[in-house]
């Protein structure tokens, strides 16, 4: 029995499941969601049938990748943070987007998100709908409650703020163009510009 075969047999089912999922995340980030399980198995050095032992179909594997890359990175305290009106809105948004950036500014997240969008996959729409309900709609409500400008903020404004911050990660991990300033500074400036447009104080704690 060769060393590779012995090592494969020693893995527990939980370890094998994690190994396949980890490998799938890295593989789809590199090749897009059109990549096939045959090439994934070759890259892993295992049989395709072994992958299907743990994930019955490619669609099931993609669903697991979606949960790992997208949903598992949403922190449970973020909705409470957004709605905590005892703190300045500026501080809440800066904290949220700093933590959000730390969660999603990775090669795998950015690449899979872009590949999924270009392929017209349902994953992005599902994720953005979920994020909208959980985070962006409450954010808009908080902004409306504090805005003093003549123009009432709308959902497109919130998406513009969100998209501008996410684009920092796209520049770094898709276009390979590092930003001149640290992410936290870029985020703070973006949030403060946004709030000033609606007459919202930016004094921090």
């Amino acid at each position: 029995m060769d060393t590779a075969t012995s090592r494969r047999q020693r893995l527990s089912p939980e370890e094998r499941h994690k190994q396949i999922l980890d490998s799938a995340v890295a593989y789809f980030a590199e090749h897009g969601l059109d990549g096939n399980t045959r090439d994934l198995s070759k890259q892993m050095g295992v049989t395709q049938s072994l992958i299907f032992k743990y994930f019955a179909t490619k669609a099931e594997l993609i669903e697991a990748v979606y949960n790992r890359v997208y949903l598992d990175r949403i922190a449970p305290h973020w909705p409470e943070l957004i709605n905590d009106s005892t703190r300045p809105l500026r501080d809440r948004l800066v904290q949220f987007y700093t933590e959000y950036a730390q969660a999603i500014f990775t090669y795998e997240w950015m690449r899979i998100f872009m590949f999924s969008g270009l392929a017209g996959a349902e994953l992005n729409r599902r994720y953005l709908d979920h994020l909208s309900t959980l985070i962006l709609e409450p954010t808009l409500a908080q902004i409306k409650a504090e805005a003093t400008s003549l123009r009432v903020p709308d959902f497109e404004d919130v998406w513009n703020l969100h998209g501008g911050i996410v684009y920092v990660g796209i520049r770094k991990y898709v276009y390979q163009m590092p930003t001149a300033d640290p992410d936290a500074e870029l985020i703070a400036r973006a949030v403060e510009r946004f709030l000033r447009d609606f007459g919202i104080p930016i004094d921090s704690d």
Side-chain angles (χ1 to χ4, degrees):
M1 179 182 297
D2 62 33
T3 302
T5 300
S6 176
R7 184 166 56 250
R8 286 199 298 270
Q9 290 183 347
R10 284 200 299 267
L11 290 178
S12 69
E14 293 77 15
E15 291 171 331
R16 178 65 70 192
H17 184 279
K18 182 178 183 301
Q19 180 202 40
I20 294 172
L21 183 54
D22 289 345
S23 298
V25 169
Y27 174 78
F28 289 124
E30 190 65 32
H31 300 284
L33 299 181
D34 289 336
N36 59 69
T37 54
R38 182 180 299 106
D39 290 339
L40 170 61
S41 67
K42 290 179 181 178
Q43 183 171 296
M44 290 182 62
V46 301
T47 63
Q48 191 177 16
S49 61
L50 179 64
I51 293 176
F52 288 133
K53 176 181 176 181
Y54 289 88
F55 301 93
T57 64
K58 179 186 173 183
E60 184 176 311
L61 179 59
I62 291 290
E63 185 69 19
V65 168
Y66 167 77
N67 288 327
R68 164 71 68 82
V69 174
Y70 292 164
L71 299 188
D72 289 354
R73 299 190 189 204
I74 296 178
H77 72 273
W78 284 344
E80 181 180 356
L81 169 65
I82 293 297
N83 289 297
D84 182 8
S85 57
T86 65
R87 297 181 57 193
L89 183 54
R90 179 264 181 202
D91 291 356
R92 286 179 273 158
L93 291 180
V94 169
Q95 180 182 337
F96 164 68
Y97 275 113
T98 300
E99 293 179 5
Y100 187 67
Q102 291 170 349
I104 73 167
F105 283 13
T106 67
Y107 183 85
E108 291 81 7
W109 195 99
M110 290 292 167
R111 297 271 299 187
I112 290 176
F113 191 80
M114 293 299 293
F115 277 128
S116 178
L118 291 172
E122 185 66 23
L123 298 185
N124 284 22
R125 287 188 289 273
R126 285 171 54 194
Y127 172 72
L128 292 176
D129 285 346
H130 181 65
L131 187 71
S132 176
T133 301
L134 195 68
I135 301 295
L136 301 186
E137 289 177 7
T139 296
L140 177 59
Q142 293 293 315
I143 293 167
K144 283 183 173 181
E146 298 196 24
T148 61
S149 60
L150 293 177
R151 187 172 74 81
V152 177
D154 58 28
F155 209 34
E156 193 64 29
D157 295 313
V158 176
W159 274 116
N160 286 338
L161 172 64
H162 184 83
I165 291 172
V166 171
Y167 185 70
V168 173
I170 293 174
R171 284 174 57 192
K172 293 172 67 173
Y173 293 99
V174 178
Y175 299 143
Q176 304 296 312
M177 297 174 59
T179 55
D181 298 319
D183 295 342
E185 292 182 14
L186 294 173
I187 289 168
R189 289 203 298 269
V191 168
E192 289 170 1
R193 284 195 301 268
F194 178 84
L195 295 179
R196 284 193 185 100
D197 284 343
F198 295 103
I200 300 174
I202 62 167
D203 293 337
S204 61
D205 291 330

